[in-house]
């Protein structure tokens, strides 16, 4: 079999970078995309990318164009990892349309249309899709309705696609991490921490069942699970939403 190809969205982000490194270590051909041009360039200096391109994935046309470019460059596609995402906080009563469209556009619409464009190529390779969801797709948090809704919808998109593609040998799963030490977490704490980002982070950790032992996830821990899900010996796993959150979403 020729070397498999993975496409990672949000590749310049904290988790996307870790996923790119993990697949590269296992000698996959890695392709990546992000809206952040300089971040993508920085990744290119750390991980040998077969192909990379900037794209704003909130548009269906951009998603289709990107997949066409990846195929023109690599000739095959075995896995799509939808890791692009944005966080916006605010109660429903005060949430702007701009923030709502941003959250739904990146967290849900991009995964929908990128999957749509990739389907024929994944059928060819009997490949897989992994959607990076969140504990916030499994349980509600006050003040983040749009984010929670986007991730809950992403989970159902994953399950529906898994059913639609099963007879073609294509698997689709969601991975739902708890809080990960990435730029997104720093952004959350800086923007919404009311001038005290450390207190914001302590508050997040206080919700974990580990109590004083609680810590943030490392992106590499999630990358390992994502990589595993794309292996042939994970063929029984499809339509799953796999929590990797220290039990945060298991209940109170
Ligand atoms: N960090 C966390 O605590 C956490 C927890 C649970 C789930 N997640 C999810 O993990 C995924 C990765 O997040 P991260 O922590 O690496 O965040 P990050 O901010 O480091 O990376 C996200 C990437 O998405 C890219 N992006 C944003 N808008 C885009 C657009 N319109 N088109 C294309 N790319 C775009 C950003 O440029 C960025 O590089 C996200 O889906 C996020 O929702 C993160």
């Amino acid at each position: 079999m020729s070397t498999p190809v993975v496409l990672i969205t949000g590749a310049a982000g904290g988790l996307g970078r870790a996923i790119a490194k993990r697949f590269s270590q296992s000698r996959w051909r890695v392709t990546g995309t992000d809206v952040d041009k300089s971040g993508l360039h920085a990744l290119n200096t750390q991980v040998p990318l077969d192909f990379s391109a900037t794209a704003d994935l909130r548009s269906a046309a951009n998603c289709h164009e990107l997949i066409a470019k990846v195929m023109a460059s690599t000739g095959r596609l075995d896995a799509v990892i939808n890791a692009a995402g944005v966080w916006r906080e605010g109660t429903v009563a005060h949430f702007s349309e701009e923030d709502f469209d941003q959250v739904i556009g990146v967290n849900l619409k991009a995964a929908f249309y990128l999957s749509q464009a990739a389907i024929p190529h994944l059928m060819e390779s009997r490949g897989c899709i992994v959607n990076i969801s969140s504990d916030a797709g499994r349980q509600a948090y006050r003040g983040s309705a749009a984010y929670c809704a986007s991730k809950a919808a992403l989970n159902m998109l994953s399950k529906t696609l898994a059913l639609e593609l099963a007879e073609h040998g294509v698997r689709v799963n969601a991975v739902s991490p708890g809080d990960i030490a990435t730029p997104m977490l720093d952004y959350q704490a800086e923007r919404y921490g009311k001038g005290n980002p450390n207190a914001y982070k302590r508050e997040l950790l206080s919700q974990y069942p580990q109590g004083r032992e609680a810590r943030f996830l490392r992106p590499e821990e999630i990358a390992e699970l994502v990589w595993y899900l794309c292996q042939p010996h994970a063929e029984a796993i499809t339509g799953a939403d796999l929590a990797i959150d220290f039990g945060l979403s298991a209940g109170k």
Side-chain angles (χ1 to χ4, degrees):
M1 187 186 135
S2 52
T3 311
V5 175
V6 61
L7 170 64
I8 301 161
T9 78
L15 183 52
R17 277 200 307 267
I19 295 170
K21 282 182 193 154
R22 183 63 189 87
F23 278 81
S24 176
Q25 278 163 14
S26 295
R27 311 213 182 290
W28 280 56
R29 296 167 68 193
V30 178
T31 71
T33 184
D34 203 290
V35 77
D36 174 0
K37 191 174 180 181
S38 60
L40 207 51
H41 179 72
L43 173 67
N44 243 315
T45 63
Q46 296 163 9
V47 176
L49 296 181
D50 255 64
F51 169 87
S52 67
T54 52
D56 184 340
L57 298 177
R58 289 174 298 172
S59 129
N62 288 356
C63 291
H64 279 265
E65 191 186 335
L66 178 74
I67 293 292
K69 284 183 184 165
V70 170
M71 289 308 296
S73 168
T74 65
R76 64 177 298 146
L77 185 58
D78 300 84
V80 174
I81 317 300
N82 285 304
V86 291
W87 172 270
R88 294 288 183 275
E89 226 170 280
T91 58
V92 174
H94 300 104
F95 210 73
S96 72
E97 183 177 3
E98 188 191 341
D99 277 351
F100 182 84
D101 288 347
Q102 177 77 358
V103 169
I104 299 298
V106 182
N107 296 4
L108 178 61
K109 186 180 171 189
F112 188 102
Y113 283 104
L114 203 72
S115 301
Q116 180 183 74
I119 283 170
H121 312 297
L122 294 174
M123 282 181 178
E124 188 88 11
S125 62
R126 299 178 74 82
C128 67
I129 297 171
V130 179
N131 291 322
I132 305 300
S133 186
S134 169
D135 62 291
R138 299 163 61 86
Q139 60 181 11
Y141 289 94
R142 281 190 200 99
S144 40
Y147 187 86
C148 290
S150 73
K151 294 299 190 179
L154 185 62
N155 291 345
M156 288 312 284
L157 168 64
S158 309
K159 287 177 192 285
T160 311
L161 257 183
L163 296 179
E164 290 183 6
L165 300 179
E167 66 181 308
H168 302 286
V170 178
R171 296 181 298 108
V172 186
N173 290 293
V175 164
S176 292
D179 298 287
I180 321 164
T182 68
M184 179 182 280
L185 186 64
D186 294 334
Y187 168 87
Q188 277 178 245
E190 287 295 333
R191 178 161 171 190
Y192 300 108
K194 297 182 181 132
N196 194 343
N198 287 336
Y200 182 100
K201 287 184 179 178
R202 275 197 303 275
E203 170 64 25
L204 289 180
L205 284 180
S206 72
Q207 301 172 46
Y208 283 79
Q210 284 72 20
R212 294 163 66 91
E213 297 287 306
R215 68 165 172 84
F216 293 123
L217 286 152
R218 291 186 295 271
E220 293 74 20
E221 294 174 294
I222 293 98
E224 193 63 32
L225 176 59
V226 171
W227 177 81
Y228 175 79
L229 286 171
C230 296
Q231 301 312 301
H233 50 260
E235 75 172 329
I237 309 177
T238 193
D241 163 23
L242 296 166
I244 172 164
D245 66 359
F246 295 107
L248 177 65
S249 67
K252 295 279 177 218

